[in-house]
C-alpha cells in the first residue's frame, strides 16, 4: 500500500540539496517569472530599446568577418524576441535560444519564419528555466544579453555551473549587462542588502572588477570588457552605453 505520510516538501522541509536551497531563496524575492515577462513582451509597441530586430553591436563585431568567433553551436540565454539568435543563425550557427516567456518566444518564432527556411532551420526555441532545461551542450558560444543582471546573487552559482558544464573547450562566453554608475539602470546595492530588501530593484548593476571576480572563478580568460557603444536608431546594430559588454574564453585544453 502507498504511504500516506507527508513528504518533506509538504511539511515545510523541502531543502535537501543546493537546488532546494536556491529555490527557497528564490521565493524571498519578487522574482520576474515567466508570466511577468509575458506581460512585458505582449506590448510590442512599448518602445523598449532591445525590442528592435537587430543584434548587439558587440556580438556583430565578434561574429563578423574580422571577429574571432566562427560559426558553431551557440546558446542564447534569455533570448527574448530572438534578435541575437537570428543574427547567429543567419551566419551559420546552430542556435539553442532559451527564454522564460512563451510570448517572447512566439515573437522570436515569427521573426525566424520571416527570415526564411535556412535561418529558421538553425534555431531551436526552448521555453523554460535555463538552469533546469536539458540543454544539448557543449556550445562553442554562450551568449547572454540582459539575463544575468536579473539573477539573484545565489543564482550566480547556478550560472557558473551552467557555463562550466556547457561551454566547450576553446569556447566563448559573451555577456551584456547593466553597468554601475548609470542612474535608473540597475541597483548598486550590495548583495546582503538585496536579501534584506527582498527585491532586485529591477536588476543588478556591476562594475568591471565585480564581473572579473565572478567569472574568472572558472577557467575563463577575459578577452574584452568595455562599455557597449551607443548606436543611433537607424544603425544596423543595437547599442546602449548603460551596458557592459564582456567576452571570456575557455582554454582549449585543461591541465
Amino acid at each position: 500500500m502507498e504511504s500516506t505520510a507527508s513528504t518533506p516538501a509538504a511539511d515545510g522541509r523541502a531543502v535537501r540539496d543546493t537546488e532546494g536551497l536556491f529555490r527557497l531563496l528564490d521565493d524571498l524575492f519578487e522574482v520576474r517569472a515567466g508570466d511577468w515577462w509575458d506581460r512585458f513582451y505582449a506590448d510590442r509597441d512599448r518602445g523598449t530599446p532591445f525590442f528592435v530586430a537587430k543584434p548587439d553591436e558587440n556580438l556583430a563585431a565578434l561574429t563578423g568577418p574580422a571577429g574571432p568567433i566562427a560559426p558553431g553551436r551557440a546558446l542564447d540565454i534569455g533570448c527574448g524576441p530572438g534578435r541575437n539568435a537570428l543574427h547567429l543563425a543567419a551566419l551559420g550557427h546552430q542556435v539553442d535560444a532559451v527564454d522564460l516567456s512563451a510570448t517572447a518566444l512566439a515573437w522570436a518564432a515569427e521573426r525566424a519564419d520571416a527570415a526564411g527556411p535556412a535561418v529558421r532551420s538553425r534555431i531551436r526555441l526552448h521555453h523554460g528555466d535555463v538552469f533546469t532545461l536539458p540543454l544539448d551542450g557543449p556550445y562553442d558560444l554562450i551568449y547572454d544579453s540582459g539575463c544575468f543582471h536579473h539573477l539573484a546573487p545565489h543564482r550566480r552559482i547556478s550560472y557558473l555551473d551552467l557555463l562550466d558544464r556547457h561551454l566547450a573547450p576553446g569556447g566563448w562566453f559573451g555577456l551584456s549587462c547593466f553597468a554601475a554608475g548609470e542612474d535608473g539602470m540597475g541597483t548598486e546595492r550590495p548583495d546582503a542588502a538585496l536579501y534584506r530588501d527582498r527585491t532586485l530593484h529591477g536588476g543588478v548593476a556591476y562594475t568591471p572588477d565585480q564581473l572579473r571576480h565572478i567569472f574568472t572563478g572558472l577557467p575563463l580568460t577575459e578577452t574584452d570588457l568595455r562599455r557597449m557603444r551607443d548606436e543611433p536608431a537607424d544603425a544596423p546594430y543595437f547599442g546602449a552605453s548603460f551596458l557592459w559588454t564582456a567576452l571570456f574564453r575557455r582554454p582549449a585544453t585543461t591541465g
Side-chain angles (χ1 to χ4, degrees):
M1 180 181 296
E2 184 178 354
S3 172
T4 58
S6 62
T7 65
D11 66 12
R13 296 289 181 266
V15 175
R16 63 183 180 187
D17 54 24
T18 302
E19 182 59 24
L21 174 61
F22 287 177
R23 290 191 179 279
L24 179 67
L25 293 172
D26 288 342
D27 289 342
L28 295 178
F29 288 91
E30 298 172 357
V31 176
R32 290 179 171 177
D35 56 350
W36 190 96
W37 289 109
D38 284 338
R39 294 190 297 273
F40 180 81
Y41 284 109
D43 182 4
R44 300 184 182 185
D45 299 321
R46 65 188 302 149
T48 302
F50 56 83
F51 279 10
V52 293
K54 50 190 177 182
D56 291 342
E57 59 86 4
N58 55 301
L59 181 63
L62 294 169
T63 54
I69 300 178
R73 301 192 66 243
L75 172 65
D76 185 359
I77 299 175
C79 66
R83 59 192 183 83
N84 289 307
L86 265 69
H87 169 77
L88 292 170
L91 293 176
H93 295 260
Q94 297 292 328
V95 185
D96 284 333
V98 178
D99 205 279
L100 282 173
S101 169
T103 302
L105 291 173
W107 191 357
E110 290 177 23
R111 286 177 167 178
D113 290 341
V119 171
R120 186 65 182 90
S121 67
R122 298 190 190 107
I123 297 178
R124 295 189 298 180
L125 300 172
H126 303 271
H127 178 221
D129 183 344
V130 72
F131 299 135
T132 58
L133 286 171
L135 298 173
D136 187 23
Y139 297 98
D140 304 298
L141 169 64
I142 296 179
Y143 190 71
D144 173 353
S145 183
C147 177
F148 180 72
H149 55 226
H150 290 299
L151 297 180
H154 58 278
R155 282 298 177 183
R156 295 177 202 141
I157 300 171
S158 304
Y159 198 99
L160 291 172
D161 179 64
L162 183 148
L163 292 177
D164 194 36
R165 287 185 291 116
H166 292 296
L167 186 61
W172 300 88
F173 165 56
L175 175 72
S176 296
C177 69
F178 286 153
E182 295 290 331
D183 291 341
M185 296 308 299
T187 182
E188 298 180 38
R189 293 174 65 76
D191 287 349
L194 300 179
Y195 287 95
R196 288 193 296 268
D197 299 343
R198 300 185 68 162
T199 177
L200 299 180
H201 299 281
V204 179
Y206 292 89
T207 68
D209 285 344
Q210 289 168 345
L211 293 175
R212 292 183 179 112
H213 172 73
I214 293 166
F215 290 110
T216 56
L218 291 179
L220 294 173
T221 299
E222 175 192 331
T223 64
D224 191 30
L225 179 51
R226 62 170 174 83
R227 288 295 184 107
M228 182 180 276
R229 287 189 292 271
D230 283 312
E231 295 284 347
D234 59 351
Y237 309 119
F238 168 81
S241 61
F242 59 77
L243 298 168
W244 292 119
T245 72
L247 182 67
F248 298 86
R249 192 173 194 187
R250 188 167 205 164
T253 58
T254 59

